[in-house]
Amino acid sequence: MRISVKNLVIISLLISTISFTSCSKDDASDDIYLNEDQAATTSVNKNTVTYNYSNIEKETLEVINTYRESIGLNSLVTIDLISTQAETHTDYIVKEGKISHDKFNTRANFLIKNLPAKSIGENVASGFSSAKSVVNAWLNSPTHKAIIENDNYTHTGISIKTDENGKKYFVQLFAVR
C-alpha cells in the first residue's frame, strides 16, 4: 500500500481531531467545536521563537509532568513554538469569552509543518484558579485524561491568560514528533 505525504498529513489531522476536549469549571461538558479555517500557514524558524512563561504556566507544566512520571510516562518537553500557537488560541478564546477548539486544524497544520510533528492534541479549560485545579479537572475527565496519559505525546506547549473579569483560560497543546 502506497501512502503519500499528503495522505499522512490528512491521517494525522483525522487522528488529532479526536485528541482534544474542552473543560470549564462553569460548564463540565466535553463538547467539541470544530469550525476550522484551512488557510495556509507560513513557515517560521522554530529556533528563533521564544515564549515567556508565567508562573502558573510553569507550574501547570510541572504538575502535568509530575503526574505523567508518576504513572511511568516520560515528561513532555516544552517547545516555545507550541506555546506561541497555544497563545494564539488563548487570545482568541479570551476575546470570545468561551472555550472552544475553533481553528484547531490551523494550529495543528502549522505545528505539523514547522516542528515538524506527526500529530497534535489539545486540552482547553476555563474558570480554574490554579495549576492543580485545572490539572485535577482534566484528570477527572476521561477525554482530557486520555490526552495527558497518551504515551505517544513527546512535546507540549501552554498558554494561560486571564480576562478582564479575572477568569483564567487554559490551552495546552500536545505533539507527537
Side-chain angles (χ1 to χ4, degrees):
M1 181 170 149
R2 188 167 175 236
I3 299 177
S4 69
V5 172
K6 181 179 178 182
N7 287 340
L8 283 175
V9 170
I10 291 169
I11 291 167
S12 293
L13 288 174
L14 288 173
I15 291 169
S16 68
T17 60
I18 299 169
S19 301
F20 61 86
T21 55
S22 306
C23 186
S24 170
K25 187 173 183 180
D26 302 324
D27 178 353
S29 73
D30 282 333
D31 293 337
I32 296 175
Y33 303 91
L34 196 59
N35 180 11
E36 306 308 333
D37 175 5
Q38 297 294 331
T41 57
T42 56
S43 294
V44 298
N45 181 345
K46 64 182 175 248
N47 297 321
T48 62
V49 174
T50 58
Y51 185 86
N52 294 315
Y53 295 89
S54 68
N55 288 336
I56 192 170
E57 290 167 337
K58 291 175 193 174
E59 185 179 350
T60 304
L61 292 168
E62 185 178 312
V63 172
I64 292 284
N65 277 334
T66 298
Y67 175 76
R68 284 177 57 92
E69 291 167 4
S70 77
I71 61 169
L73 299 176
N74 290 329
S75 292
L76 298 168
V77 176
T78 304
I79 296 180
D80 290 352
L81 183 63
I82 300 173
S83 294
T84 61
Q85 286 300 295
E87 183 178 46
T88 63
H89 192 53
T90 308
D91 290 341
Y92 171 80
I93 61 178
V94 166
K95 179 181 169 200
E96 293 295 311
K98 67 179 179 83
I99 57 175
S100 73
H101 295 285
D102 292 351
K103 301 180 182 177
F104 173 76
N105 281 349
T106 301
R107 291 184 296 286
N109 285 332
F110 179 87
L111 292 171
I112 287 168
K113 178 181 177 184
N114 289 287
L115 276 179
K118 297 176 186 167
S119 176
I120 302 296
E122 178 176 81
N123 278 347
V124 302
S126 68
F128 298 93
S129 60
S130 70
K132 288 183 181 180
S133 65
V134 73
V135 173
N136 284 336
W138 282 337
L139 292 175
N140 285 317
S141 163
T143 50
H144 294 90
K145 185 176 184 177
I147 292 174
I148 292 168
E149 292 183 349
N150 185 329
D151 64 346
N152 292 321
Y153 289 124
T154 54
H155 295 80
T156 193
I158 195 164
S159 174
I160 302 169
K161 301 270 180 133
T162 304
D163 71 9
E164 60 199 26
N165 299 315
K167 184 175 183 178
K168 290 189 181 346
Y169 292 83
F170 301 77
V171 174
Q172 185 170 10
L173 292 165
F174 300 79
V176 177
R177 283 188 79 189

